[in-house]
């Protein structure tokens, strides 16, 4: 079985546990465990905006990649905080890092429920805020959410 999705990393391309990753490589549990990392699975999300529930892209710069997971796959559906799909896989391939423009374009193309998660979870700069305000100018809920969640954008440094 194979699942395509997204994974967030720290700016130095490490995950939450300090393991360094690289675009274009395939990681297996066996290869990392041989290096002394005691990991049981790799995690990814089917939807980019879902990764922000597990990785704080609002408070710090992150790298977001398109990934493919394979092997034994476990699905976790979190309906308590909305609907989030997270997968746990044995093998992880880092296909491509998304640049900032691609991330914003994906955010702008989301439906209302998903764009709300994007706005709550990803720090926008002032130009990006303007793009979202223009796109959703007829949706007062989204505009209020932008004002509430993105009001301190000047404090954030975008790489």
């Amino acid at each position: 079985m194979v699942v395509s999705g997204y994974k967030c990393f720290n700016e130095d391309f490490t995950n939450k546990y300090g393991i360094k990753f690289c675009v274009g490589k395939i990681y297996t549990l066996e290869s990392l465990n041989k290096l002394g990392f005691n990991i049981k699975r790799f995690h990814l999300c089917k939807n980019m905006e879902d990764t922000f529930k597990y990785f704080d892209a609002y408070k710090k710069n992150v790298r977001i990649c398109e990934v493919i997971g394979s092997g034994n796959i476990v699905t976790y559906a979190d309906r308590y905080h909305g609907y989030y799909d997270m997968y746990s896989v044995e093998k992880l391939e880092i296909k491509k890092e998304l640049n900032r423009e691609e991330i914003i374009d994906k955010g702008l193309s989301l439906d209302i429920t998903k764009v709300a998660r994007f706005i709550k979870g990803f720090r926008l700069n002032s130009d990006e805020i303007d793009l979202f305000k223009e796109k959703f100018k007829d949706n007062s809920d989204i505009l209020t959410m932008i004002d509430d969640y993105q009001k301190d954008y000047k404090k954030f440094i975008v790489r």
Side-chain angles (χ1 to χ4, degrees), residues 1 4 6 9 13 23-24 27 37 40 45 48 63 76 84 89 92 94 98-99 104 108 115 125 133 148 152:
M1 185 172 177
S4 296
Y6 299 88
F9 299 94
F13 237 110
V23 173
Y27 297 87
F37 296 107
K40 306 223 181 319
C45 291
M48 180 186 66
R63 297 172 98 157
Y76 301 94
Y84 297 87
V89 300
L92 185 72
I94 314 298
L98 299 178
N99 64 39
I104 298 305
L108 287 166
V115 80
N125 66 34
K133 283 186 172 183
D148 289 347
D152 295 328

Side-chain angles (χ1 to χ4, degrees), residues 7-155:
K7 185 165 181 67
C8 274
F9 299 94
N10 292 309
E11 264 192 298
D12 64 356
F13 237 110
T14 57
N15 67 359
K16 285 183 173 183
Y17 309 104
I19 299 171
K20 182 95 167 163
F21 289 82
C22 184
V23 173
K25 294 207 175 193
I26 298 172
Y27 297 87
T28 64
L29 297 177
E30 297 82 27
S31 63
L32 288 181
N33 286 337
K34 285 179 185 175
L35 295 173
F37 296 107
N38 185 21
I39 62 169
K40 306 223 181 319
R41 297 225 180 240
F42 301 106
H43 297 101
L44 65 107
C45 291
K46 186 75 172 164
N47 302 305
M48 180 186 66
E49 68 281 0
D50 290 351
T51 64
F52 307 145
K53 180 177 186 270
Y54 305 103
F55 216 96
D56 194 359
Y58 186 78
K59 293 182 181 171
K60 61 183 177 180
N61 289 320
V62 296
R63 297 172 98 157
I64 302 170
C65 292
E66 292 177 349
V67 297
I68 296 175
S70 59
N72 186 13
I73 298 174
V74 178
T75 304
Y76 301 94
D78 180 355
R79 289 177 176 84
Y80 182 76
H81 295 100
Y83 189 78
Y84 297 87
D85 277 337
M86 196 257 296
Y87 297 87
S88 194
V89 300
E90 290 179 317
K91 184 191 265 186
L92 185 72
E93 181 178 358
I94 314 298
K95 294 296 288 180
K96 175 188 178 203
E97 180 179 4
L98 299 178
N99 64 39
R100 183 104 184 159
E101 186 177 324
E102 291 170 313
I103 294 166
I104 298 305
D105 286 347
K106 285 183 181 292
L108 287 166
S109 69
L110 297 170
D111 67 35
I112 297 302
T113 304
K114 292 180 178 184
V115 80
R117 280 188 250 165
F118 184 87
I119 290 167
K120 290 178 184 178
F122 189 79
R123 178 57 75 182
L124 301 171
N125 66 34
S126 59
D127 292 335
E128 295 161 352
I129 288 171
D130 291 343
L131 289 172
F132 276 83
K133 283 186 172 183
E134 177 60 29
K135 167 86 188 248
F136 297 100
K137 65 184 172 197
D138 297 326
N139 188 311
S140 61
D141 291 339
I142 295 296
L143 293 175
T144 299
M145 190 174 298
I146 291 169
D147 287 341
D148 289 347
Y149 285 91
Q150 298 292 330
K151 61 185 170 195
D152 295 328
Y153 70 89
K154 291 177 185 172
K155 295 179 183 174

